Amino acid sequence: MNRYSHNPILEPIGAHAWESSLVFNAAVFAANNRVHILYRAMGTDNVSRIGLASSSDGYNIDERLPLPVFSPSNDMENQGCEDPRLSLFGDSLIMAYTAFGNHFQHQVYQIGLTSINTEDFIARRWQWGERILAFPGIHNKDAVLFPQKFDGDYVMFHRLEPDLCIARSNNLRRWYGLKYILGPREKSWDSWKVGAAGPPILVNEGWLLIYHGVSVDRVYSLGVALLDKNNPEQVLYRSEEAILTPTEDYERYGKVPNVVFSCGQIIKDDQVLIYYGAADSSLCVATFELAELLPKK
Ligand code: BMA
């Protein structure tokens, strides 16, 4: 594993009010020889919006848009659209995110879903589709869709605290079949709560899932699990050790200390580039060999 030597790859821009204080957790999508990065940003009003940057090599940013590409549009997310995660289905990208706002009389973090046509995305036409609440009014976060359907259904990981859970839907609106998949382990780096990182990756051995775990002393690390290829409810393996844990200054000090938190990764020649928010303050990348993330044979 190698952290990129010039981390962080994205930092706030003081002159842009909407991203002047923090830029962090990001979805990524590789297309047209570029890595497109949708990142969470916060500015003077403390509302999260989503910005776009891109890179031709995955490390050096050579495009960054001056305005957000996705912002709150209703009461249910009036305090922020956080932590985007992208999954590709044909010519459409589905984005899951955390909608933070008011649901009737109470304030809640809940799962928002929307989509965009891939060509529009590449052409930077931000024509997002309808915004759907997966579980209206229910406190829930860390939603990510598998990048393929199972028996005609979308399958989503989500997090009913403190556990990583699954649900299915044939229309993105009604989600059913809620089940526990994996939870905290005692005396471990993931002893307090767990949640999915980016979309599961299909490999020969099954679905490789990168997930975050929080320890009882509030350190956010990343680890991996492997799920059955045909039945993603079946956990085949879970890493004993974290694969990434805060050690660098930019991960240890910031808005929220001791955090590495990922919403996406790309695969490039058997290497996995994991994009992660560091201390909820900047965006970083670390590169892993695919083989080092899989169970030892
Ligand atoms: C989670 C989310 C993330 C954040 C993390 C650490 O609950 O809010 O956006 O990075 O906490 O603060």
Side-chain angles (χ1 to χ4, degrees):
M1 184 273 286
N2 274 311
R3 284 175 173 84
Y4 178 50
S5 54
H6 297 299
N7 272 344
I9 60 168
L10 277 180
E11 292 187 273
I13 295 184
H16 297 166
W18 63 279
E19 58 171 347
S20 56
S21 16
L22 313 166
V23 302
F24 52 126
N25 309 338
V28 286
F29 165 57
N32 286 16
N33 295 318
R34 299 195 76 73
V35 180
H36 305 266
I37 301 170
L38 283 185
Y39 61 92
R40 172 175 172 194
M42 288 174 96
T44 42
D45 60 3
N46 281 331
V47 169
S48 292
R49 296 179 179 79
I50 295 174
L52 178 124
S54 80
S55 165
S56 48
D57 64 2
Y59 302 97
N60 293 289
I61 301 296
D62 35 44
E63 176 196 16
R64 187 162 172 183
L65 300 188
L67 294 174
V69 301
F70 190 83
S71 299
S73 75
N74 59 53
D75 277 359
M76 265 79 87
E77 53 192 41
N78 59 10
Q79 289 166 69
C81 298
E82 308 181 351
D83 301 352
R85 292 170 171 92
L86 284 174
S87 305
L88 179 65
F89 289 86
D91 58 4
S92 160
L93 279 162
I94 298 184
M95 182 171 81
Y97 62 99
T98 303
F100 177 31
N102 297 318
H103 198 90
F104 298 99
Q105 302 313 324
H106 67 285
Q107 205 178 53
V108 66
Y109 287 93
Q110 55 179 320
I111 293 173
L113 296 170
T114 187
S115 63
I116 189 167
N117 174 277
T118 315
E119 266 180 39
D120 285 339
F121 184 105
I122 305 284
R124 310 299 186 228
R125 288 186 296 264
W126 304 110
Q127 294 170 2
W128 298 94
E130 187 190 352
R131 301 182 187 203
I132 297 169
L133 295 172
F135 305 103
I138 306 287
H139 177 89
N140 198 332
K141 280 187 177 189
D142 302 324
V144 67
L145 266 62
F146 276 75
Q148 72 163 53
K149 291 185 178 177
F150 292 82
D151 300 325
D153 284 344
Y154 294 100
V155 174
M156 173 169 85
F157 279 147
H158 58 106
R159 206 276 302 286
L160 291 171
E161 258 185 58
D163 303 319
L164 190 156
C165 300
I166 203 166
R168 302 176 168 254
S169 173
N170 58 14
N171 58 10
L172 299 175
R173 285 168 198 285
R174 290 277 177 268
W175 290 86
Y176 51 90
L178 257 78
K179 271 191 194 152
Y180 163 95
I181 298 296
L182 50 94
R185 296 178 290 195
E186 260 182 55
K187 299 197 174 92
S188 172
W189 59 273
D190 53 4
S191 54
W192 183 33
K193 48 186 183 176
V194 293
I201 307 160
L202 188 58
V203 294
N204 290 335
E205 295 80 353
W207 289 99
L208 174 65
L209 172 72
I210 300 163
Y211 73 94
H212 70 260
V214 194
S215 64
V216 286
D217 47 6
R218 306 292 193 266
V219 176
Y220 281 70
S221 305
L222 296 175
V224 290
L226 190 69
L227 310 150
D228 184 84
K229 209 175 250 186
N230 302 312
N231 175 13
E233 294 179 0
Q234 199 186 334
V235 181
L236 305 176
Y237 161 81
R238 203 167 153 184
S239 58
E240 285 303 320
E241 303 295 329
I243 59 160
L244 188 70
T245 201
T247 54
E248 307 305 300
D249 281 356
Y250 52 80
E251 299 161 348
R252 295 178 56 211
Y253 307 107
K255 174 75 180 169
V256 181
N258 298 312
V259 176
V260 296
F261 189 95
S262 176
C263 295
Q265 72 282 326
I266 60 152
I267 314 279
K268 206 171 154 186
D269 311 323
D270 278 343
Q271 292 196 317
V272 186
L273 279 65
I274 300 185
Y275 292 82
Y276 66 96
D280 283 5
S281 299
S282 65
L283 185 72
C284 296
V285 58
T287 307
F288 295 75
E289 296 298 325
L290 182 57
E292 71 182 306
L293 299 179
L294 294 168
K296 305 282 166 286
K297 292 209 169 111

